[in-house]
């Protein structure tokens, strides 16, 4: 602890500079049916699936800073991390892992994650990390149209990407189809912005 009573953040444990910030939020974490045991299960499952999906997506999970938020997390990726790993590889892998984890579970134990990503300057002081990307990610996670789209799709995972990150990852730097995303404009508190939404594609109905 510091002399001022706050936690000391080790600089080597927190990437600083221009980089990608990824936020994760557990949907309906405060549901009154969810007790401390369920909360613990959801948190363990969230971190476990994020770590496995990041590894499968060739993202440097061990070098990421992970700031816990109780019902989610803020993850700071090392500078130089390719946006394609976050925007292209991570969502479908996370979707597959969550479908497996949720198979046979009750609605109370079902883990559904909203993810949001932005890029920008990340700063570090003795209390932790801060910067504009954290504010933007928090607003995207709470954006009503994002929550509504997740609910309508009954999806286990959704990713909302800031327009700034989406444009900076444009081809040829980002060799994937943009058809995986659709535009979404939102207002949340003082933030009014354009973003891009990834949701799992609906499976065809068996006939």
């Amino acid at each position: 602890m510091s002399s001022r009573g706050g936690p000391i953040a080790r600089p080597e444990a927190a990437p600083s500079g221009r980089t990608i910030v990824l936020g994760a939020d557990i949907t309906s974490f405060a549901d009154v049916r969810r007790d401390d045991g369920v909360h613990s299960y959801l948190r363990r499952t969230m971190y476990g699936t994020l770590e496995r999906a990041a590894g499968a997506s060739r993202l440097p999970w061990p070098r990421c800073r992970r700031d816990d938020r109780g019902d989610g997390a803020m993850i700071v990726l090392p500078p130089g991390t390719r946006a394609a790993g976050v925007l292209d590889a991570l969502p479908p892998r996370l979707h597959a892992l969550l479908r497996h984890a949720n198979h046979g579970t009750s609605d109370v134990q079902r883990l559904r994650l909203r993810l949001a990503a932005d890029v920008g300057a990340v700063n570090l002081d003795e209390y932790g990390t801060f910067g504009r990307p954290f504010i933007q990610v928090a607003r995207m996670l709470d954006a009503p149209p994002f929550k509504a789209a997740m609910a309508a799709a009954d999806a286990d995972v959704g990713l909302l990407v800031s327009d700034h990150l989406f444009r900076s990852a444009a081809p040829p730097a980002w060799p994937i189809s943009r058809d995986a995303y659709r535009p979404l404009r939102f207002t949340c508190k003082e933030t009014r912005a354009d973003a891009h939404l990834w949701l799992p594609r609906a499976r065809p109905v068996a006939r």
Side-chain angles (χ1 to χ4, degrees):
M1 301 293 289
S2 73
S3 60
R4 286 176 285 180
I8 296 175
R10 295 181 302 162
E12 67 271 22
S16 60
R18 181 179 172 82
T19 188
I20 296 172
V21 174
L22 176 69
D25 192 59
I26 299 173
T27 299
S28 302
F29 189 77
D31 188 321
V32 295
R33 298 173 298 167
R34 290 177 161 174
D35 58 18
D36 288 347
V38 174
H39 287 162
S40 178
Y41 166 78
L42 292 172
R43 285 164 51 80
R44 289 197 312 271
T45 305
M46 177 190 72
Y47 281 112
T49 52
L50 282 172
E51 181 175 6
R52 290 174 63 193
S57 304
R58 298 186 178 180
L59 294 172
W61 183 261
R63 294 193 293 123
C64 294
R65 179 186 175 96
R66 300 177 290 278
D67 291 336
D68 188 70
R69 292 293 191 269
D71 60 351
M74 285 286 186
I75 300 158
V76 183
L77 286 90
T81 299
R82 294 179 65 248
V86 179
L87 278 63
D88 180 22
L90 184 66
R93 286 169 172 79
L94 189 55
H95 175 232
L97 288 169
L98 284 174
R99 284 190 61 193
H100 178 75
N102 288 331
H103 180 71
T105 62
S106 67
D107 186 57
V108 173
Q109 290 185 310
R110 180 186 176 190
L111 176 61
R112 302 173 68 218
L113 289 177
R114 291 193 308 277
L115 304 178
D118 190 23
V119 63
V122 171
N123 305 293
L124 172 70
D125 63 16
E126 65 267 37
Y127 299 103
T129 48
F130 64 98
R132 296 300 302 181
F134 294 96
I135 299 172
Q136 185 73 3
V137 166
R139 298 296 180 263
M140 288 193 289
L141 288 173
D142 284 339
F146 186 15
K147 294 181 178 180
M150 281 278 296
D154 192 32
D156 286 333
V157 64
L159 172 62
L160 191 60
V161 178
S162 71
D163 189 60
H164 180 49
L165 175 56
F166 193 79
R167 290 179 181 276
S168 70
W174 183 22
I176 70 169
S177 171
R178 289 181 162 233
D179 292 342
Y181 286 83
R182 66 176 176 86
L184 185 145
R185 179 170 292 180
F186 72 92
T187 300
C188 185
K189 295 185 177 179
E190 74 285 352
T191 299
R192 192 176 232 184
D194 292 321
H196 302 267
L197 175 64
W198 181 96
L199 287 174
R201 293 187 183 275
R203 289 176 296 170
V205 177
R207 296 183 180 275

